[in-house]
Amino acid sequence: MTTTMTPPHRSATAGARRGAERGGWRRGRAPRRGRGPSRRKEALWGYAFIAPTGLGIAVFYLWPVLQTAYFSLTEWGAFGGHTWTGLDNYRRLSSDPEVGRALVNTLTYTGLGLLSIPLAIGFAVLLNRKGMRFVGFYRTLFFLPVVTMPVAIAMVWRWLYNGDYGLINYLLSLIGIDGPNWVADPATALYALVVVGVWSSVGYNLIIFLAGLQAIPKEYYEAAAIDGAGPFRQFFSVTLPLLSPTAFFVSVVSVIGSLQLFDLVYVMAGSGAGARANPAFPRLETVVQLFYDRAFVTNDRGYAAAIVMMLLLVIVVLTAVQFRFQKRWVHYA
Amino acid sequence: MWMSKRLGAVALATMLAVSACSGGGDGKAAAADPNAKVTLSYGVWDANQKPVMETLATEFTKTHPNITVQVQLTPWADYWTKLKAAVTGGAAPDVFWMNGPNFQLYASNKVIAPMPGDADLSVYPKPLTDLYTFEGKPYGLPKDMDTVAVWYNKKLFDAKKLPYPKDDWTWADFTDTAAKLSDPAKGVYGTAAQLGSFQEYQYDTIAQAGGYVISPDGKKSGYSDPKTIAGLKFWTDLIENKSSPDLKTMTDTTPIQLFEAGKIAMYWGGSWNVSEFTANSYTKGKVDVAPLPRGEKQATIIHGVANVVSTKTSHPDQAWEFVRYLGSKQAAEILGQKGPIPAYDGTQTAWVKAHPELKLQTFLDSVSYAVPFPVSKNTAAWNEAELTYLTKAWTGQEPIDKAATELAQAMDTLLAKE
C-alpha cells in the first residue's frame, strides 16, 4: 500500500540511490577481485537462499515423480515389494476401456470448467465498477466457496442435487418440472459436476482478475472515452486485451487443476467403492479416481503409477499447447 | 575422621553411579522384560464402539498394570487406505481390527502374524474361525459376529393391515408382501434392492438360491452358475416390479436413509444396525426383526471382526496377551452390554436382553444355518468387478444373466492373478 501511495518521482529517486549504493559496493571490490568471482559468489548466495525450497521440492515432488515413473514399470502389490515388468502396465493402459472413458470424462470436465474464466471476468468487471456499494461484502461472498473445504462443498451439493428431496428439484417442481436424479443420471451427472466445479472456482479466479483489472492504467479508458468509445467498446478494446495475460495464467492453472479432479467426484458420486454402484459412474469416473481405485482399492499400484504418469504427460502436453498458442491471443501491455 | 568422611563420600558416589547404570540397563531391556511399561496401539474403525473398546483397554490395564492400550479410531471410509499406508511405512498399530474381505491379503503378505501357541477356537462359531485361518493357521481371535435379518417398519405394515412376517416365510411371501406394501406414487416401497453392500443382499440370496460366489478353493467365480443368477434375479425382479426404488433413487438417498424416513417397509440389515435403529428418532419403537425369507434353503451371511497382531510390533507378547483378553469370556460379556454381538459362545444373552422390545434372538438363531462370507486373497479386486458389471443389470440396461456371466469371466481373470 505504502509504495503505491508514494509519489512516483520520490520512489524513483530512492531506487536510483539504492542503485548507486549497489554500484558503489561493486566498484569498491571490482578492481581487487574482478567481476567473475564476485558474480559467482552472488550466484552461490542465490542458490543458498533458494536451497530450502529447492530441497523441499526435490524431496517431496521430484523424487516421488521419479519413483512413480520407476514403479510404473513394475508390478507392485498392496504393501510394497515389486517386480520389474517393463512396459506391461503401459500396454495394458492402451487397451483398457476404463482409461479411455476416464480420460474423456476428465477432458470434458476440464474443457467445460474453463467457463469459469468468462464468468469470473464478468463478475470482476462488475465488482470493479466505480461507486459500487458493499464491494467488500460481495467479494467475500464470491470468495467463500474458495475457503470452504471441497468435501463440504460436495456434501452440500449432493443434497441440493438429490432427485427426491433436493432443493433444486423442489424449486423446479414449483414451475412444474420433474427434475432428474442429477448426479445419478448418466445424462446429467458430469454437467452437474461441472456446475459445482465452476461455482467453487469462480471466486478464486475473480480475485485474480480483479487484481488484473486494477493494474490497467486509467489513462487508457480516458483516451478511449475521448475517442468516443462506450462502455462495451471500452471493455472489448481495452479491458479484455489487457486482461489477457491474467486470463492466460488462470487458464493454465485451472486446466491443471481440473485434470486432477478427484475430491468432488469421490464425495458426490457416493463414497469409496460405493461410487461404482452409481449408475452414472461411467460418466463420472476421472483419471485420478481411477488411479485411486487401482492404487488403494484393488491393490494394483504399479498400474496406478502408469495411470498417473499418463496424466502427467497429458498435463505437460496441454500446458505446452497453451503456451504455444498464447501468442495468438495474449497481449502484454 | 576427615579421610573417612571423604572415603565415605567416594563410596556413596560410586554406589550412586552404579545404581544409575543399572537403572539405564533396565530401560534398555524394556522389550524383553515382561514387567516393563509398554504402550500398545489398537486400531479400530467404529466410532460407536470406541467407548467400549476404551473400557476393555482400561479393564485390561487393571490386570496388566504394565501395559497401557491406546485406542486409535480411523473412520471406516479411510481405515484400509490408511492402514495399508501405515503398514508400508512401518507404522501399523500393534493390534488392530481385521475383517473377512481383507484378511487373506494381510495374512498372505505376512503383515499380520499367526497366533503363537494353542488357543481354544471351539468357543467361537466355526464359519468365523475358518474365515481367519490361513494355510491352516489361525491369525487372530474373533471379537464379534454379525448376521443378517429383515428389519421391518411395523407402522407401514399396520397401515396396509398386513400381518408381520412369520419366522418360516419364503421368497414368495416376501415378494408378495413387498408388492402389497409398495406405493410408488407416494415414494413408498416394500423393500430396497441395494447394490453396494453385498453382505446383506446379494450374498444372502445367492446362498438361499443354492448358488455360490466363489468356489471353496478360492479359484473360480460362481457368478455364471444358474442358481447364483437366480439369487441375483430375486433383486432385479423386485426393482422391475416397482417393489423397490430404482438404482438412481437409491444412489441419491441410500436405502437406510429411506428406511429411516419411513419410505421403505422392509430393510435387509445386520445385527450391527440395532444401535442405529434404537437411537434414530423415526425408527425407534417402530421397527422389529424377522429372519431372512427362505429360498431353496435358509441362509444368512455370518461375518465378524477379529483382533490381529502386526508382525512388526515391538511387543508381540503383550500384544497377544491383549488379543487373548479381548477374545475372553470376560471381555465378551463387557462387549455384549453395549456393542455388537460378542463372538464367544454363551455370552450373547446380555446383547439380546439389552433390547427386549426387539426379537434380537433372530440374529442368534440364524447362526445355525449361517454361511461364511466369500473372500479370497484380493477380495477388493472382484468386489469392484461385482459393482461394475451388476450395475448394468440393476439399471435394467442388461439382462441379469448376461451381466452375471460377464462378471464371472472378469472375476476368473482376477482370481487367476492372485
Side-chain angles (χ1 to χ4, degrees), chain A residues 158 162-163 181 273 294 296 299, chain B residues 84 251-253 378 384 387:
Chain A
R158 197 181 146 87
N162 187 295
N181 295 75
R294 292 295 158 269
F296 300 111
N299 307 312
Chain B
K84 260 180 248 170
T251 304
D252 269 355
T253 320
N378 197 6
E384 186 190 280
L387 289 175

Side-chain angles (χ1 to χ4, degrees), chain A residues 66-77 80-90 92 299-307 309:
Chain A
L66 293 176
Q67 263 189 318
T68 308
Y70 169 72
F71 284 130
S72 75
L73 301 169
T74 66
E75 196 181 314
W76 184 24
H82 51 272
T83 46
W84 181 262
T85 53
L87 290 172
D88 275 8
N89 286 328
Y90 290 95
R92 190 176 145 200
N299 307 312
D300 208 351
R301 296 190 172 183
Y303 189 49
I307 291 172
M309 288 315 289

Side-chain angles (χ1 to χ4, degrees), chain A residues 71-251:
Chain A
F71 284 130
S72 75
L73 301 169
T74 66
E75 196 181 314
W76 184 24
F79 308 102
H82 51 272
T83 46
W84 181 262
T85 53
L87 290 172
D88 275 8
N89 286 328
Y90 290 95
R91 251 173 246 132
R92 190 176 145 200
L93 197 75
S94 59
S95 60
D96 186 345
E98 252 191 84
V99 171
R101 80 178 185 202
L103 256 180
V104 169
N105 292 339
T106 310
L107 291 174
T108 314
Y109 176 87
T110 306
L112 293 173
L114 288 176
L115 280 174
S116 100
I117 293 177
L119 273 176
I121 292 179
F123 286 124
V125 168
L126 289 178
L127 284 181
N128 199 37
R129 280 194 318 168
K130 270 207 199 95
M132 172 104 182
R133 297 175 73 188
F134 310 118
V135 169
F137 171 73
Y138 285 116
R139 286 182 189 174
T140 312
L141 210 61
F142 277 105
F143 204 64
L144 265 181
V146 183
V147 291
T148 310
M149 301 238 299
V151 172
I153 289 176
M155 293 286 281
V156 171
W157 275 94
R158 197 181 146 87
W159 276 106
L160 290 176
Y161 277 139
N162 187 295
D164 296 299
Y165 308 102
L167 197 60
I168 293 173
N169 278 2
Y170 169 73
L171 293 176
L172 286 177
S173 75
L174 294 182
I175 50 167
I177 297 173
D178 185 17
N181 295 75
W182 296 96
V183 284
D185 192 323
T188 54
L190 187 61
Y191 306 106
L193 212 65
V194 169
V195 168
V196 183
V198 168
W199 176 82
S200 55
S201 65
V202 153
Y204 175 75
N205 296 345
L206 174 95
I207 294 293
I208 296 175
F209 281 122
L210 267 177
L213 280 175
Q214 285 167 3
I216 300 176
K218 304 267 176 303
E219 291 80 7
Y220 290 166
Y221 291 103
E222 283 162 13
I226 288 166
D227 287 345
F232 284 97
R233 186 64 202 266
Q234 283 184 17
F235 174 76
F236 285 106
S237 300
V238 179
T239 312
L240 220 46
L242 290 176
L243 219 46
S244 60
T246 316
F248 173 65
F249 166 77
V250 170
S251 136

